[in-house]
Amino acid sequence: QVQLEESGGGLVQPGGSLRLSCAASGSIFSGFSGYVMGWYRQAPGKQRELVAAITNGGSTNYADSVKGRFTISRDNAKNTVYLQMNSLKPEDTAVYYCHARRIVTMSDRWGQGTQVTVSS
């Protein structure tokens, strides 16, 4: 019964920045630190793809297309994960989904998604 709620999406011009937040609530078994957190995105007509992920230890992984532009971080005390997106491009336009995977069970939870539109 872990729920994920994204916020921070919107319309931004190319080269601009957005900061997405994902707050986890409900029953967080083993604590928030027991989850690998990530951001995925899905553009119309395309498959959902991993954008960035972060472990409790701070190890991160990024899609090649966003390396150097996006930064994922987490605040376990707030049960929140963030995605700082800089130098945004029109190709970044997509619905961005927060994702949580409980390590011990490998179970998945998804947020409802937040729309990010990069357009002039």
Side-chain angles (χ1 to χ4, degrees):
Q1 297 299 145
V2 176
Q3 294 179 311
L4 303 175
E5 182 177 347
E6 302 101 331
S7 62
L11 174 65
V12 65
Q13 293 186 337
S17 299
L18 284 174
R19 185 173 185 253
L20 305 183
S21 298
C22 173
S25 62
S27 300
I28 306 177
F29 307 110
S30 76
F32 190 65
S33 62
Y35 293 82
V36 175
M37 302 300 299
W39 289 94
Y40 289 72
R41 68 185 181 187
Q42 187 167 23
K46 300 185 68 177
Q47 292 185 321
R48 188 173 299 186
E49 64 175 349
L50 174 69
V51 176
I54 184 169
T55 68
N56 183 61
S59 296
T60 58
N61 190 37
Y62 297 93
D64 289 340
S65 60
V66 306
K67 283 184 177 179
R69 299 188 298 121
F70 291 9
T71 302
I72 188 171
S73 61
R74 65 191 293 165
D75 187 337
N76 289 348
K78 296 181 178 179
N79 295 338
T80 302
V81 63
Y82 307 93
L83 184 68
Q84 179 67 48
M85 304 185 293
N86 299 325
S87 302
L88 283 162
K89 305 174 181 179
E91 303 89 85
D92 296 317
T93 297
V95 177
Y96 284 71
Y97 297 90
C98 182
H99 173 258
R101 171 164 288 180
R102 190 184 179 197
I103 297 172
V104 295
T105 62
M106 297 295 287
S107 58
D108 297 314
R109 292 289 186 273
W110 294 92
Q112 292 298 307
T114 184
Q115 177 70 48
V116 172
T117 302
V118 185
S119 177
S120 60

